[in-house]
C-alpha cells in the first residue's frame, strides 16, 4: 500500500520524504515532515487532498512557515507547501487577486505601484497570502480582513468554495478557516482604494522604521509568540513579569521585544516550549491572565 500511495503522491509535485521542517520555518526549528510535497497546481493539490482521505493520512498545510513552531519529532503524514503554481498577483482596477503562496509584502508593494492604498502596514510581514488570510494577519491597527473581498478555498472534501468577507468572519488573528477545518486557501481578492504613490511610500517607510526600532533582528524568530489579550499588550505583560532575557537551551526571550522568542542557533522546539510555559506561568501568577498562543504549533 505504501508504495502505491507514494507512487500516486509523487505524480502531483516535488516530493521529499522526511524533509526537515527547520528548512521551511522562519524560526529554523522543526523535525521531519513524513511526506513533504509542493503540488504543481490546483488539480494536483486536490489529488493530494483526496489521497490523504483515501489512505486516511493526516494532512497539514504550511505557507512560508513564519508563524509556526514545528515540534522536534516532526509532522506525521502529508505536509503540503503551496509554491510556484500559487504565486501570482493580478491587478484589475481597484482590486488585486493574489495566489495563496504570494508574499503578502509583494502584494503590498504591487499595490503601491498601482497607487492602491490599504496594505501599507503589511510591507514588513514575511508570510504568504494564504497564511495571512487564515491568521487575519495585521499590524498597527490594521488587518488583512478589512481589505479582503473574497477568498477561494479548496475544501478538504475536494470542492472549490468561495467565501465573501462577511462569511470569512475575520476576528483578531482568526477567521472561519482557522476556527473550522474547512479547507486550503487558494487565492484572495483584495479591494483597495486609490492613493498617491508617494503617500503610500511614506507610510511604508514609517512602518519599516517602527519595526526596526521595536523588533529583534539578526536571529530567526516567528514574530509574536502570544496574542494580545483584549485591551492589553502581551509584550508588556511578559516584560513586567520579568521574562525578558530568559533562556532555555539556545532559545531566548528577546531583550528588545518580550513577545518574541529568538533562536540563537540550534535551538529546539523543546527549548521554545520550555520558555512558552515559563512565560505563561509567570504572567498568570502576576496578572491572573492566561496568554494564548499566536504561533501555530505543529507535530
Ligand atoms: C519577523 C516577523 C514579523 C512578523 N510580523 C507580523 C505582524 O506584524 N503581524 C502579523 O499578523 N503576523 C506577523 N508575523 C507572523 C506571520 O508572518 C503571519 O502570521 C503570516 O500571515 C503567516 O503566514 P505564513 O505563510 O508564514 O503561514 P504559516 O506560518 O506557514 O502558517 C500559519 C497558519 O496558516 C495555515 N496556512 C498557511 N497557508 C495556508 C493555506 N494556503 N491554506 C490553509 N491554511 C494555511 C498553516 O496551517 C498555519 O496554521 C511575523 C513573523 C515574523 C517572522
Amino acid at each position: 500500500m505504501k508504495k502505491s500511495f507514494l507512487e500516486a503522491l509523487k505524480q502531483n509535485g516535488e516530493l521529499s520524504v522526511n524533509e526537515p521542517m527547520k528548512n521551511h520555518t522562519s524560526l529554523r526549528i522543526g523535525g521531519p515532515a513524513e511526506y513533504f510535497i509542493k503540488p504543481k497546481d490546483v488539480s494536483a493539490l486536490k489529488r493530494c487532498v483526496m489521497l490523504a482521505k483515501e489512505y486516511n493520512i493526516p494532512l497539514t498545510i504550511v505557507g512560508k512557515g513564519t508563524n509556526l513552531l514545528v515540534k522536534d519529532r516532526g509532522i506525521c503524514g502529508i505536509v503540503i507547501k503551496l509554491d510556484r503554481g500559487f504565486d501570482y498577483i493580478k491587478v484589475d482596477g481597484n482590486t488585486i487577486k493574489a495566489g495563496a503562496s504570494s508574499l503578502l509584502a509583494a502584494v503590498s508593494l504591487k499595490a503601491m505601484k498601482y497607487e492602491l492604498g490599504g496594505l501599507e502596514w503589511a510591507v514588513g510581514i514575511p508570510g504568504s497570502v494564504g497564511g495571512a488570510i487564515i491568521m487575519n494577519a495585521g499590524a498597527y491597527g490594521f488587518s488583512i480582513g478589512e481589505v479582503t473581498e473574497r477568498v477561494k478555498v479548496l475544501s478538504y472534501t475536494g470542492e472549490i468554495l468561495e467565501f465573501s468577507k462577511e462569511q470569512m468572519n475575520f476576528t483578531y488573528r482568526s477567521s472561519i478557516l482557522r476556527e473550522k477545518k474547512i479547507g486550503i486557501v487558494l487565492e484572495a481578492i483584495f479591494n483597495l482604494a486609490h492613493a498617491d504613490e508617494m503617500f503610500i511610500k511614506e507610510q511604508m517607510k514609517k512602518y519599516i522604521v517602527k519595526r526596526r526600532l521595536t523588533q529583534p533582528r539578526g536571529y530567526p524568530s516567528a514574530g509574536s509568540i502570544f496574542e494580545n489579550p483584549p485591551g492589553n499588550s502581551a509584550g508588556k505583560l511578559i516584560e513586567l513579569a520579568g521574562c525578558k532575557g530568559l533562556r532555555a537551551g539556545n532559545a531566548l526571550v528577546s531583550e528588545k521585544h518580550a513577545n518574541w522568542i529568538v533562536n540563537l542557533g540550534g535551538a529546539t522546539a523543546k527549548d521554545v516550549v520550555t520558555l512558552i510555559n515559563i512565560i505563561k506561568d509567570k504572567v498568570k501568577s502576576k496578572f491572573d491572565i492566561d496568554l494564548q498562543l499566536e504561533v501555530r504549533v505543529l507535530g
Side-chain angles (χ1 to χ4, degrees), residues 4-24:
S4 57
F5 160 73
L6 271 181
E7 280 303 315
L9 187 62
K10 80 172 182 208
Q11 305 304 315
N12 300 299
E14 217 180 292
L15 171 73
S16 29
V17 176
N18 291 328
E19 171 73 12
M21 282 304 293
K22 68 174 189 267
N23 296 343
H24 303 278

Side-chain angles (χ1 to χ4, degrees), residues 25 60 69 81 91 93 96 100 103 117 122 163 175 177 180 185 198 214 251 262 268 275 288:
T25 60
T60 304
L69 174 61
K81 178 167 174 156
V91 183
I96 295 190
L103 280 171
F163 288 74
S175 65
L177 299 179
K180 302 189 176 164
V185 176
M198 280 316 290
T214 56
V262 296
T268 61
L275 286 180
D288 197 24

Side-chain angles (χ1 to χ4, degrees), residues 49-63:
V49 169
M50 300 323 275
L51 274 171
K53 227 168 120 64
E54 185 188 341
Y55 286 88
N56 202 17
I57 290 175
L59 186 70
T60 304
I61 315 299
V62 299

Side-chain angles (χ1 to χ4, degrees), residues 258-295:
N259 197 15
W260 287 44
I261 292 176
V262 296
N263 178 357
L264 298 175
T268 61
K270 194 162 166 253
D271 297 336
V272 177
V273 170
T274 302
L275 286 180
I276 285 173
N277 290 334
I278 295 173
I279 292 170
K280 284 179 95 161
D281 286 350
K282 283 185 177 274
V283 169
K284 176 75 179 167
S285 69
K286 194 163 170 90
F287 301 105
D288 197 24
I289 291 177
D290 290 303
L291 288 178
Q292 303 298 323
L293 280 179
E294 180 169 322
V295 288

Side-chain angles (χ1 to χ4, degrees), residues 61 63-68 126-128 132 134 137-138 173 185 211 296:
I61 315 299
K64 302 293 176 197
T66 63
N67 204 33
L68 296 182
S128 67
I134 292 279
R173 296 297 168 271
V185 176
R211 277 183 192 271
R296 312 313 303 151

